Amino acid sequence: MRSIDARDVQLAEALDQAVREFDPSPEERLQTIRRKGSLRRALRWTAACTALFLFLGATGWAALRLAGNRAETASPAPVPWRLYEQADLGWSLRYPPSWRVQEYNEFCSPRGNAQTMGVLVTNVRHVFRHPEVPTGCPSVWDMRGLPSDLVFISFDNSQLPFGPDQSSHYSSSLPL
């Protein structure tokens, strides 16, 4: 029987022989290594470019889709506005067709000698009234219970028994 040392020596010689047969120089495999490396690099670049093009394409599609919707809903054909005029006072106004005009002509004050007349234009269907005040003529309107998006425009011509002469009419260069 051989001793343990002899077997160790034989094993060491066998391993040394196997290592001597192995050529550690990379020149033989260098082309294969480079080819696999360039293939991996090409695959990574292809995946990155594909992801980038998909992102840009989706963004462009969404932008065109939104722009297309905006163009469709931009503005329909203009609807002609309605005309209201008070020829005896020399003025007129135009208002959207869905809005409402309410004329008023009221006498008030304790003696009934003050007259307020005019027109109001609004975007809601409602009959507007002045609140009852026992001591005079209120210049306010009762707005209780009306929507928050209410538009209300009032044009008054008051004939009061006192104050400045309101019989003169002012000319405006703007179409009111």
Side-chain angles (χ1 to χ4, degrees):
M1 226 169 137
R2 295 187 184 173
S3 72
I4 295 176
D5 290 337
R7 284 188 283 171
D8 288 341
V9 171
Q10 280 182 338
L11 180 60
E13 286 177 7
L15 288 174
D16 283 342
Q17 181 64 29
V19 169
R20 274 187 230 120
E21 292 174 4
F22 177 73
D23 184 15
S25 104
E27 280 80 18
E28 292 178 12
R29 296 191 54 221
L30 188 59
Q31 283 187 341
T32 306
I33 292 170
R34 284 185 177 161
R35 191 174 27 240
K36 287 183 179 178
S38 64
L39 179 63
R40 285 188 193 127
R41 236 183 341 273
L43 288 175
R44 272 192 303 243
W45 275 106
T46 302
C49 289
T50 302
L52 177 66
F53 289 139
L54 283 173
F55 172 75
L56 291 175
T59 304
W61 177 81
L64 289 174
R65 184 84 169 146
L66 290 173
N69 286 347
R70 193 174 328 126
E72 292 170 8
T73 60
S75 62
V79 177
W81 283 25
R82 293 187 178 158
L83 175 68
Y84 174 85
E85 58 185 327
Q86 286 190 342
D88 56 328
L89 296 177
W91 68 274
S92 65
L93 65 90
R94 293 190 180 276
Y95 61 96
S98 62
W99 287 27
R100 187 176 161 281
V101 170
Q102 177 181 328
E103 293 180 346
Y104 55 93
N105 188 358
E106 301 172 351
F107 290 92
C108 62
S109 82
R111 291 175 288 189
N113 58 350
Q115 179 183 13
T116 302
M117 61 185 195
V119 64
L120 61 89
V121 182
T122 181
N123 65 337
V124 297
R125 294 230 173 264
H126 178 77
V127 176
F128 290 90
R129 302 198 187 287
H130 290 289
E132 302 242 352
V133 177
T135 60
C137 298
S139 61
V140 296
W141 295 92
D142 186 0
M143 301 284 185
R144 290 178 288 186
L146 294 171
S148 62
D149 62 346
L150 166 73
V151 177
F152 178 93
I153 305 166
S154 177
F155 299 94
D156 294 334
N157 182 18
S158 298
Q159 303 292 324
L160 301 175
F162 53 86
D165 178 20
Q166 295 186 8
S167 62
S168 61
H169 301 291
Y170 297 102
S171 176
S172 170
S173 62
L174 299 173
L176 297 176

